[in-house]
Amino acid sequence: MGAMSDQSDSPLDLLWQEYGTIFRDFDDLSLARWMAQTLGQFKGRVWRYSHPLIGAYRLAAIQGHDRQIWLKRLVSSPHGYTEATCCRAPLLPLLTRDILETGLICQHCSGTAIEFADLPAELQAPLKQWAEEYAPVHAVAHWEDNRRKPIGNYDRAFEQAAVASEKLLGRFGRELVPKLLELYPTVVWEDQDECLEVRPEDIPL
Ligand SMILES: [Zn+2]
C-alpha cells in the first residue's frame, strides 16, 4: 500500500483512487455517519496500517477531508475521540518509523497531528530509543556505492537489515504503540518498510 500518497499516479495509487470512488457516492451525512461508526468500532486497540478496515477508513477520510465533513458537524465526534488541531477531525494518529521528525500523523489530513516534543516525556524516551535503533537499520537500504563496496556482499547486508527491521517493527507494534492507548482511543502504526522490502506479513505480532 506504500504511504498511499494521494497525489501520486503510480499504478497502485490509481487502484486505490478507484477503490475510493465508493465514498464519492455517499452524501455528506452518510459519509459522516459511516466514519463516526467505524471510529467507534476501532476504539480500544492498535491497528496495523495494512488492515483492510484502516485502508477503507483512509479512503473515506480522503473524501471527508476534501468535503470538510468534520467542519460541517453533521454527527457528533465518536465518544472518546478528541478533535485534532490540524483539521478538527477526530484525532486518529498514525505512528511511523519517522516519528521523531514527523510526530504523530493525522489520518484525515495527513499532516502532523501531534509533534513528537508534545508527547509525554515517559512516552518520548522509549519511542526515541526505538527510532534511533531503527534508523541505521533502515539506512542500509539507502547506502551509496561508497558504503556498499567495502561490505563486499551488499545483498547479504540488505537481507540482514530486513530481518532486523522485521524484529524491530514487531517490537514497535507489540510493545511501544499500545502505550499510546493511554492517550488516544485508537492508534494506527505503519507495519512495513518499503525501502527494505519488509511487508506486513513479514511482521508477526
Ligand atoms: Zn488533520
Side-chain angles (χ1 to χ4, degrees), residues 42-94:
F42 284 159
K43 225 163 54 177
R45 47 177 294 199
V46 302
W47 293 80
R48 290 174 179 263
Y49 189 76
S50 67
H51 195 290
L53 259 186
I54 293 294
Y57 187 84
R58 284 265 306 149
L59 294 173
I62 290 167
Q63 265 302 305
H65 185 63
D66 285 350
R67 282 148 65 175
Q68 305 270 297
I69 285 291
W70 296 103
L71 297 182
K72 293 177 183 165
R73 309 229 169 257
L74 301 167
V75 294
S76 49
S77 194
H79 182 71
Y81 287 85
T82 55
E83 194 178 88
T85 51
C86 44
C87 63
R88 296 174 59 190
L91 179 51
L92 178 64
L94 168 71

Side-chain angles (χ1 to χ4, degrees), residues 84 86-87 106 108-109:
C86 44
C87 63
C106 172
H108 295 95
C109 72

